[in-house]
Amino acid sequence: MLDIAAEKTPDNRPAIVICAWDADEAAWDPVEDLSGQPWSPAGARTVAVPADDPEALATTLSNHLSDDRTRALLLVGRTCRSDGFRMQMRAENRSLDGGRRMNIVGPGIARATAPTAEIVRALNEAGFVADASSDAEEDAGSYLLYRILANLQEGADTPAIGLLRAPEHEADASVQRAVKTAAQAMARHLSPLPRARAY
């Protein structure tokens, strides 16, 4: 009898980690139907990471990015500073409470590595009002963005890391669609993994 599990072909699609950092945020659910399979864009696969304490979450997300099969990270949260969707392009070296520098020797600012212009263009083409901003909001999202960017391993291929903010009162269905649009734009920039990296 054939061993079906053994015959499964390796999944050589690069991974995009998607994380809504706020435990109260219910908008992003990667499982669309009763199959239990998470949604994935063409050419990539998604890995959903649930919300957690920011310190623990920063470690979890950095651990995912230390695996060279993970080529992108999309943080998802809300903004109270815009009526449209916003890609945050940078984060400041600030502690979680904002009262001091997080890293005494780290740079003052870390810049997102995601293809921001392409993501904003894709969101606008999909009918969303969207822009990019260097305005770093004082919340766990900015803290995570800086921590993760500052902790990237040197010498490795730089993964695409971005932070998408949805308007504060945007409906969950709209946020779901915007996250998928952003992930699809990111996936278009990812090349398949070499065979040696595939599962």
Side-chain angles (χ1 to χ4, degrees), residues 33-45:
D33 53 38
L34 297 178
S35 71
Q37 293 299 311
W39 170 86
S40 291
R45 61 187 174 84

Side-chain angles (χ1 to χ4, degrees), residues 168-188:
E168 193 172 19
H169 301 296
E170 191 76 16
D172 287 357
S174 180
V175 176
Q176 285 260 12
R177 196 163 63 88
V179 170
K180 291 179 181 179
T181 300
Q184 286 167 338
M186 294 175 88
R188 287 194 287 271

Side-chain angles (χ1 to χ4, degrees), residues 1-57:
M1 186 167 165
L2 293 175
D3 184 352
I4 302 299
E7 289 198 345
K8 286 182 84 174
T9 56
D11 190 341
N12 67 343
R13 296 176 298 166
I16 301 175
V17 171
I18 301 178
C19 176
W21 69 80
D22 188 340
D24 295 327
E25 179 59 73
W28 171 244
D29 181 0
V31 178
E32 295 183 301
D33 53 38
L34 297 178
S35 71
Q37 293 299 311
W39 170 86
S40 291
R45 61 187 174 84
T46 55
V47 177
V49 173
D52 199 349
D53 169 80
E55 291 282 349
L57 193 53

Side-chain angles (χ1 to χ4, degrees), residues 4-152:
I4 302 299
E7 289 198 345
K8 286 182 84 174
T9 56
D11 190 341
N12 67 343
R13 296 176 298 166
I16 301 175
V17 171
I18 301 178
C19 176
W21 69 80
D22 188 340
D24 295 327
E25 179 59 73
W28 171 244
D29 181 0
V31 178
E32 295 183 301
D33 53 38
L34 297 178
S35 71
Q37 293 299 311
W39 170 86
S40 291
R45 61 187 174 84
T46 55
V47 177
V49 173
D52 199 349
D53 169 80
E55 291 282 349
L57 193 53
T59 299
T60 298
L61 294 172
S62 290
N63 287 342
H64 275 283
L65 290 167
S66 69
D67 182 339
D68 59 7
R69 295 169 295 190
T70 301
R71 301 304 307 136
L73 165 65
L74 181 62
L75 294 167
V76 179
R78 299 281 180 166
T79 179
C80 57
R81 297 184 183 176
S82 174
D83 292 329
F85 286 85
R86 172 162 283 179
M87 285 296 296
Q88 183 172 318
M89 296 190 296
R90 66 178 198 167
E92 297 176 359
N93 184 351
R94 292 276 173 234
S95 60
L96 192 54
D97 63 10
R100 57 186 168 76
R101 286 175 68 94
M102 178 196 324
N103 185 332
I104 295 173
V105 298
I109 291 171
R111 298 192 181 281
T113 57
T116 301
E118 288 85 348
I119 294 171
V120 170
R121 186 180 307 115
L123 288 166
N124 286 319
E125 288 174 354
F128 296 102
V129 174
D131 66 5
S133 175
S134 294
D135 186 17
E137 300 189 25
E138 293 88 21
D139 63 7
S142 293
Y143 170 83
L144 287 167
L145 183 62
Y146 183 90
R147 272 277 305 267
I148 291 160
L149 289 167
N151 287 341
L152 285 177

